[in-house]
Amino acid sequence: MFYISQEDLHPSENDLSKENYLSLRYEDVVSDPTHYFKQIIAFSGLNLEPSFTQALDDYHFTSHRFKSYEQDLNRAQLDELNNSLGEVLQQYHYD
């Protein structure tokens, strides 16, 4: 049995201004890696190098694990996660 509070999961949202953290969903990054990695690099204050862009274009991102939690967790575990993290899951559009 485990317990995660929403405050434990997202303390940065309470303590930092939006320009000091970047919130991303795994599914979004995998579905459009070029867009999101450019966003990550810009947020980090780094320069986008052509070699990185090429490597990113050459890498095959896969979405086969998007819903793996449905197979990896049993009903009681899913219910516990939903009860503990319901607001956060809704905030990030995890239904």
Side-chain angles (χ1 to χ4, degrees):
M1 184 156 278
F2 56 90
Y3 175 78
I4 302 171
S5 74
Q6 294 178 38
E7 292 79 22
D8 292 336
L9 185 64
H10 287 282
S12 62
E13 291 186 13
N14 297 324
D15 299 333
L16 298 174
S17 60
K18 289 208 181 265
E19 61 270 356
N20 290 322
Y21 73 93
L22 180 63
S23 180
L24 302 168
R25 289 176 6 124
Y26 167 78
E27 295 84 354
D28 296 334
V29 174
V30 171
S31 68
D32 191 355
T34 301
H35 170 79
Y36 286 99
F37 273 99
K38 284 180 180 179
Q39 189 177 357
I40 292 165
I41 289 168
F43 177 81
S44 301
L46 301 172
N47 294 321
L48 183 62
E49 299 292 331
S51 60
F52 180 82
T53 303
Q54 184 61 52
L56 190 59
D57 289 343
D58 292 344
Y59 188 81
H60 175 70
F61 288 85
T62 179
S63 62
H64 77 278
R65 296 278 302 159
F66 276 7
K67 297 271 186 177
S68 61
Y69 66 90
E70 293 174 345
Q71 288 80 41
D72 296 345
L73 301 175
N74 65 38
R75 180 79 265 161
Q77 292 168 320
L78 288 170
D79 289 344
E80 190 170 338
L81 276 176
N82 286 322
N83 289 335
S84 296
L85 301 174
E87 283 183 32
V88 173
L89 294 172
Q90 288 177 351
Q91 177 184 346
Y92 289 100
H93 307 287
Y94 291 112
D95 301 323

